[in-house]
């Protein structure tokens, strides 16, 4: 499903402030697996996620996702690849505070111009799944932190992605909300999603439904 071959990522290459973020990373993640990238801030977790999602390119090496060589894709193809294959869950949610829950959830669908009735049904299903049906028309700035995260998760699923990528998803949550997030990830795994979570939260390190824990330090696995 996901394969990283000899990946190196260097920022500011050939300059005085050159920074080697990843060094010769080799990694395989099978379809429907839940993988945790474990490591302190600055260990390279987020950089690796961005490469897998084709948000940036490796300096050296190759990344293959679902049979596609994403590290070799042209720029105009990467946005389509992400829209069709990947759902993102961000640490700070990246919601638009002046829009309501429904409007935030449908944002990733705008380029594909979906059927409005089908889209509304899909959103209603997601709102029900995450117990926020009554927040459909609420501005996200008026939602609690847990409600905002559930809106963000619903948004990540609106295009029915094969892969869910979560970068430090519980960094801004208390323990109760973090445990609720973990339960949500278990449900998504049961739906045959491939999930990658980058975190240093110890709550993720003893999950009975986690397939891999990958330790990262100073750009190495």
């Amino acid at each position: 499903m996901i394969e990283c071959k000899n990946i190196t990522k260097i920022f500011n290459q050939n300059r005085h402030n050159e920074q080697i973020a990843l060094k010769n990373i080799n990694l395989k993640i099978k379809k429907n697996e839940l993988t945790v990238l474990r490591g302190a801030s600055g260990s390279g977790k987020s950089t690796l996620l961005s490469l897998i999602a084709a948000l940036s390119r490796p300096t050296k090496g190759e990344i293959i996702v679902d049979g596609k060589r994403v590290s070799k894709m042209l720029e105009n193809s990467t946005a389509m690849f992400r829209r069709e294959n990947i759902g993102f869950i961000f640490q700070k949610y990246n919601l638009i505070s002046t829009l309501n829950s429904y409007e935030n959830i449908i944002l990733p669908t705008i380029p594909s111009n979906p059927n409005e009735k089908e889209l509304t049904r899909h959103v209603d299903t997601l709102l029900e799944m995450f117990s926020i049906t009554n927040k459909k028309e609420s501005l996200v700035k008026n939602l609690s932190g847990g409600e905002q995260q559930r809106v963000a998760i619903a948004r990540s699923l609106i295009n029915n992605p094969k892969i869910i990528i979560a970068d430090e998803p519980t960094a801004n949550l208390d323990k109760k909300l973090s445990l609720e997030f973990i339960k949500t990830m278990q449900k998504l795994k049961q739906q045959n999603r491939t999930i990658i979570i980058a975190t240093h939260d110890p709550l993720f390190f003893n999950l009975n439904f986690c397939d891999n824990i990958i330790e990262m330090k100073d750009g190495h696995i």
Side-chain angles (χ1 to χ4, degrees):
M1 180 65 172
I2 299 170
E3 185 173 5
C4 300
K5 298 181 178 180
N6 303 313
I7 294 300
T8 292
K9 179 64 177 178
I10 303 174
F11 293 103
N12 301 319
Q13 191 176 15
N14 301 321
R15 299 180 185 175
H16 293 299
N17 59 342
E18 179 177 281
Q19 178 186 359
I20 302 175
L22 297 173
K23 307 172 187 176
N24 197 34
I25 297 290
N26 288 280
L27 175 65
K28 288 184 179 181
I29 298 173
K30 296 179 181 178
K31 185 178 180 180
N32 305 340
E33 285 188 340
L34 187 147
T35 297
V36 171
L37 301 179
R38 171 181 176 175
S41 186
S43 61
K45 306 185 304 295
S46 296
T47 300
L48 183 56
L49 291 183
S50 72
L51 295 177
I52 291 172
L55 288 167
S56 60
R57 296 177 184 272
T59 307
K60 298 178 183 177
E62 185 174 43
I63 298 175
I64 301 170
V65 179
D66 198 25
K68 303 177 181 68
R69 285 177 164 77
V70 300
S71 53
K72 306 295 183 183
M73 279 184 177
L74 298 175
E75 290 293 334
N76 58 3
S77 299
T78 55
M80 177 81 69
F81 163 78
R82 287 190 293 272
R83 189 164 68 243
E84 293 180 348
N85 294 277
I86 297 178
F88 294 94
I89 302 171
F90 302 97
Q91 176 179 338
K92 295 182 179 179
Y93 314 138
N94 288 5
L95 300 172
I96 299 176
S97 62
T98 54
L99 299 181
N100 64 33
S101 299
Y102 175 86
E103 291 164 337
N104 270 277
I105 291 170
I106 67 169
L107 279 176
T109 71
I110 290 175
S112 55
N113 193 28
N115 177 277
E116 187 173 350
K117 288 184 179 180
E118 291 180 2
L119 179 61
T120 299
R121 283 197 294 268
H122 188 24
V123 173
D124 287 343
T125 298
L126 291 171
L127 290 168
E128 184 177 359
M129 180 187 300
F130 299 116
S131 302
I132 48 174
T133 299
N134 62 330
K135 303 297 181 179
K136 180 176 181 177
E137 297 182 5
S138 299
L139 297 179
V140 296
K141 66 181 180 181
N142 296 328
L143 302 181
S144 69
E147 290 167 343
Q148 287 185 29
Q149 187 179 63
R150 279 178 273 170
V151 171
I153 297 171
R155 180 189 58 192
S156 77
L157 298 175
I158 191 64
N159 282 328
N160 195 30
K162 302 172 185 176
I163 301 167
I164 302 293
I165 287 178
D167 192 5
E168 299 288 359
T170 60
N172 296 319
L173 302 180
D174 59 25
K175 184 175 181 180
K176 179 182 177 182
L177 291 175
S178 295
L179 291 172
E180 287 183 9
F181 175 82
I182 287 171
K183 289 180 181 178
T184 300
M185 292 301 100
Q186 186 173 22
K187 290 179 182 178
L188 294 180
K189 187 174 188 295
Q190 291 168 351
Q191 295 175 2
N192 297 321
R193 316 268 185 180
T194 302
I195 303 171
I196 311 173
I197 301 171
T199 185
H200 58 265
D201 187 338
L203 289 174
F204 288 88
F205 302 155
N206 294 296
L207 302 180
N208 57 13
F209 59 92
C210 177
D211 299 287
N212 308 295
I213 295 181
I214 308 296
E215 187 80 30
M216 296 193 69
K217 183 178 181 180
D218 298 329
H220 292 283
I221 287 180

